[in-house]
């Protein structure tokens, strides 16, 4: 998924940050790629400010696979960053709302966003459609 690699490219340039990005080639519809891009951008920004990408020992793993014939599963996992105090009730900010509500609505699948003591974990399901279902029609006369 080119959108994941594009969103994480600024963080991959720093040798002190450890990123694992892997998964098969999957082509997404433009609107679905945009929604995924928003989610990955928000997760990466927060990881750089407060999470695993804010410290040298932090690691972020973004992996994906096919969860079905027409469905891809993306897993974001942070480890080695500052510990998250899970006993304190977190204020729900715009980024959390964006990922859990707006992106989930646009992708037509729930988003599982967890703030675990070891770091943030997020699982997204994304529809994978045949190219003909979203390709721009050419040759209109």
């Amino acid at each position: 998924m080119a959108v994941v690699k594009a969103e994480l490219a600024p963080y991959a340039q720093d040798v002190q940050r450890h990123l694992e990005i892997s998964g098969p080639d999957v082509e997404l519809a433009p609107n679905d790629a945009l929604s995924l891009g928003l989610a990955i951008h928000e997760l990466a920004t927060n990881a750089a400010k407060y999470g695993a990408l804010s410290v040298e020992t932090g690691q972020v793993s973004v992996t994906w696979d096919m969860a079905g014939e027409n469905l891809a599963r993306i897993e974001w996992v942070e480890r080695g960053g500052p510990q998250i105090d899970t006993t304190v009730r977190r204020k729900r900010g715009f980024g959390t709302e964006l990922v859990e509500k707006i992106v989930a609505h646009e992708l037509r699948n729930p988003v599982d966003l967890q703030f675990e003591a070891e770091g943030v974990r997020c699982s997204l399901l994304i529809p994978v459609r045949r190219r003909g279902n979203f390709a721009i029609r050419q040759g209109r006369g």
Side-chain angles (χ1 to χ4, degrees):
M1 280 185 221
V3 67
V4 172
K5 293 175 183 175
E7 286 296 335
L8 292 175
Y11 306 101
Q13 306 303 314
D14 187 343
V15 295
Q16 299 301 321
R17 294 188 172 134
H18 303 283
L19 293 172
E20 174 193 345
I21 305 169
S22 65
D25 287 337
V26 177
E27 188 171 0
L28 301 176
N31 285 348
D32 297 337
L34 178 62
S35 295
L36 175 59
L38 285 171
I40 296 297
H41 180 82
E42 185 60 34
L43 290 166
T45 299
N46 284 337
K49 287 182 182 177
Y50 315 110
L53 295 178
S54 71
V55 297
E56 290 184 17
T57 58
Q59 298 178 333
V60 172
S61 170
V62 184
T63 58
W64 60 92
D65 62 1
M66 295 304 294
E69 185 178 331
N70 298 314
L71 197 63
R73 176 184 303 108
I74 292 93
E75 298 284 339
W76 171 283
V77 179
E78 294 181 42
R79 295 292 179 252
Q83 290 284 305
I84 296 174
D85 187 350
T86 58
T87 63
V88 175
R89 184 170 168 90
R90 297 184 68 254
K91 179 184 171 209
R92 296 184 61 81
F94 174 75
T96 302
E97 293 293 317
L98 173 76
V99 172
E100 287 186 327
K101 294 201 166 73
I102 297 170
V103 170
H105 173 76
E106 290 298 316
L107 295 176
R108 299 168 300 284
N109 284 293
V111 172
D112 183 22
L113 181 60
Q114 301 291 322
F115 295 90
E116 300 172 350
E118 301 83 24
V120 172
R121 175 183 293 271
C122 185
S123 179
L124 301 102
L125 294 171
I126 301 177
V128 177
R129 298 180 266 171
R130 289 191 340 242
R131 186 164 205 16
N133 292 342
F134 61 84
I136 297 174
R137 297 181 191 253
Q138 297 181 5
R140 288 188 174 179

